[in-house]
Amino acid sequence: SGAAGDGQQIDPETRTLDERGSAQSEEKGQIKSAPAGKQEEDKKAAAAEKRRAAEQEKKDKTMAAADEKKKAEQKEKTKAAAEADKNKAAGQAKKEKAAAETDKKKAAEHEKKEKAAAEADKKKAAEKVKRGEREAARKEAAKNQVDPIERIKYSFSVWGAVMALVFEIRGLKAGITGERKKMGHRMYEEMDKGDLATCETVFTETKTKVEELSAKLAVKEKELRDLRKNGENEKLKKPVPPAQKDT
């Protein structure tokens, strides 16, 4: 206080330390002056406080351990959840990949089917074109060929005409032979009678008939040769292809 009275200022921290030291000195004095029973109570209180502090420290340690365990369990749960999410994501990715592969496979099969269908259509179109070309060629060839039915009719007509000429020629030859035989019989009879004039007449008449028949025979034989050689005559003509008919 003297220093203060001299006009010097005291540092607040120094003042606090001085006050704290005075309080401690007073407390020590009180402890020394306190009765023995009070000291025992204080010891017990101090021991109880120590026990409480130990128990509290134990509780704190237990709680800290529990917190650590809880944190560890939470960490494991978080790790397990992350692993589950990872596995789930991997499974989903696998499913998506499998689905993508399936879609790709379906697309490839669809493309293959479409390609096969296109090839089949192309082949059908080519076959159709070929059939058209063959049909056109057949029709064109048919124009240059005689119709089978007409050919058959023509063959029968030729055969009929040939046979008619053959029988007609046979008839003419038989007529010539017959006339000569008749002439022989008549001339024999007339010569037997001595009628030479009649014999001459019979001979002349027979000769005229034979010459007529021979002339007809020559014509028919020529017709037969020409028909066999050329396949036609004035009445019978060969069938011609449609193309020649058009011209």
Side-chain angles (χ1 to χ4, degrees):
S1 62
D6 294 336
Q8 294 180 353
Q9 293 183 356
I10 300 174
D11 185 11
E13 185 177 353
T14 304
R15 183 182 294 176
T16 303
L17 291 174
D18 292 342
E19 290 175 355
R20 191 182 301 170
S22 299
Q24 288 178 354
S25 297
E26 291 177 359
E27 186 178 354
K28 286 180 181 179
Q30 290 176 359
I31 291 173
K32 287 181 180 179
S33 60
K38 179 65 174 174
Q39 291 180 359
E40 187 66 26
E41 289 179 3
D42 290 341
K43 286 181 179 179
K44 288 181 179 179
E49 184 64 26
K50 188 176 182 180
R51 284 196 300 275
R52 282 195 299 273
E55 290 175 359
Q56 185 63 40
E57 183 180 0
K58 186 177 180 181
K59 286 181 180 179
D60 291 341
K61 288 182 178 180
T62 302
M63 289 180 67
D67 289 339
E68 289 295 329
K69 185 177 180 182
K70 192 174 182 181
K71 288 179 181 180
E73 290 176 353
Q74 186 62 35
K75 187 176 180 181
E76 287 295 327
K77 287 182 181 180
T78 303
K79 184 178 179 181
E83 190 67 26
D85 291 340
K86 184 179 179 181
N87 292 334
K88 187 177 180 180
Q92 184 65 27
K94 188 176 181 180
K95 287 181 180 179
E96 290 178 356
K97 185 178 179 180
E101 288 293 331
T102 302
D103 293 340
K104 186 178 179 181
K105 187 176 180 180
K106 287 182 179 179
E109 290 177 353
H110 183 67
E111 184 179 358
K112 186 177 180 181
K113 287 181 180 179
E114 287 185 345
K115 188 176 181 180
E119 288 293 332
D121 291 340
K122 186 177 179 181
K123 188 175 181 181
K124 286 181 180 178
E127 287 294 330
K128 187 176 181 180
V129 171
K130 287 183 179 179
R131 285 197 300 270
E133 291 176 351
R134 287 195 295 267
E135 183 65 18
R138 186 189 66 77
K139 289 181 178 179
E140 189 64 28
K143 290 180 179 180
N144 297 315
Q145 292 178 355
V146 177
D147 184 70
I149 296 176
E150 291 186 7
R151 190 188 299 277
I152 292 172
K153 289 181 179 179
Y154 165 75
S155 298
F156 277 108
S157 298
V158 170
W159 179 81
V162 168
M163 294 306 297
L165 288 171
V166 168
F167 284 115
E168 193 171 356
I169 289 170
R170 287 179 181 176
L172 290 171
K173 287 181 177 181
I176 293 172
T177 302
E179 289 296 330
R180 287 175 177 172
K181 286 182 179 180
K182 287 180 184 179
M183 182 191 70
H185 289 295
R186 288 183 65 186
M187 286 187 69
Y188 178 79
E189 290 176 355
E190 295 300 331
M191 288 180 69
D192 186 44
K193 293 178 182 180
D195 190 353
L196 296 176
T198 302
C199 286
E200 186 176 355
T201 302
V202 170
F203 178 78
T204 302
E205 291 176 352
T206 302
K207 182 179 180 183
T208 301
K209 289 181 180 179
V210 169
E211 287 177 350
E212 290 176 355
L213 291 174
S214 296
K216 291 181 179 179
L217 177 62
V219 172
K220 295 300 179 182
E221 286 180 340
K222 185 177 185 304
E223 288 182 6
L224 180 61
R225 288 195 301 271
D226 291 341
L227 181 59
R228 285 174 173 173
K229 180 180 180 182
N230 301 322
E232 59 183 7
N233 54 26
E234 294 180 356
K235 296 180 180 180
L236 182 63
K237 299 296 181 181
K238 290 181 180 180
V240 295
Q244 295 182 16
K245 286 181 181 180
D246 296 337
T247 56

